[in-house]
Amino acid sequence: QVQLVESGGGLVQPGESLRLSCVASEFTSDYYAIAWFRQAPGKEREGVSCILIRDDTTYYADSVKGRFTISRDNIRNTVYLQMNSLRPEDTAVYYCATGNKVVVTLYPLDPWSYDVWGQGAQVTVSS
């Protein structure tokens, strides 16, 4: 089973940027997408962004459109989440995830579509 490891979290001030990385042990056609989710204290886990393996189609939550960019480096088996113009409400633990069920392509930002998760990376936006 593929394994995922996130890195790049930290503490930044509002308006600053961070780039998260998700390194996969392998990219194979068995998996349909890599996605980023986040969970703030007391809140449900929410989908942030997703990139499909087959054609690099991307999806974004409305709350991050225009500020976050997801991309993939096939040589390094890595998916990035570039986060610009960060806001305090972006504070959360960020997780990357992947899944080998076709439901991932139907509901790409639904956490229930995914069955492999990384350990998470804390992002804190505060002045």
Side-chain angles (χ1 to χ4, degrees):
Q1 178 171 299
V2 66
Q3 296 180 330
L4 305 174
V5 178
E6 303 98 332
S7 63
L11 170 64
V12 296
Q13 295 188 346
E16 293 186 341
S17 299
L18 274 177
R19 188 178 76 164
L20 300 179
S21 300
C22 173
V23 179
S25 56
E26 59 181 331
F27 277 164
T28 75
S29 59
D30 292 339
Y31 294 89
Y32 288 93
I34 301 281
W36 287 96
F37 294 83
R38 66 186 182 187
Q39 189 166 19
K43 294 188 176 181
E44 293 186 354
R45 190 167 297 189
E46 64 170 341
V48 175
S49 184
C50 169
I51 185 165
L52 299 187
I53 300 298
R54 67 187 181 196
D55 60 9
D56 286 341
T57 298
T58 58
Y59 301 87
Y60 295 94
D62 288 343
S63 58
V64 306
K65 280 180 182 176
R67 300 189 297 124
F68 291 11
T69 303
I70 192 170
S71 61
R72 184 162 68 109
D73 183 334
N74 292 337
I75 296 175
R76 294 178 174 82
N77 285 353
T78 301
V79 171
Y80 302 101
L81 185 68
Q82 178 66 44
M83 305 184 294
N84 298 330
S85 301
L86 282 162
R87 304 167 180 169
E89 53 264 39
D90 294 318
T91 295
V93 177
Y94 283 71
Y95 300 89
C96 63
T98 190
N100 59 3
K101 299 180 179 62
V102 70
V103 67
V104 166
T105 64
L106 301 175
Y107 304 100
L109 294 182
D110 187 332
W112 296 106
S113 300
Y114 295 83
D115 49 16
V116 179
W117 294 82
Q119 83 286 353
Q122 177 69 48
V123 172
T124 303
V125 185
S126 175
S127 56

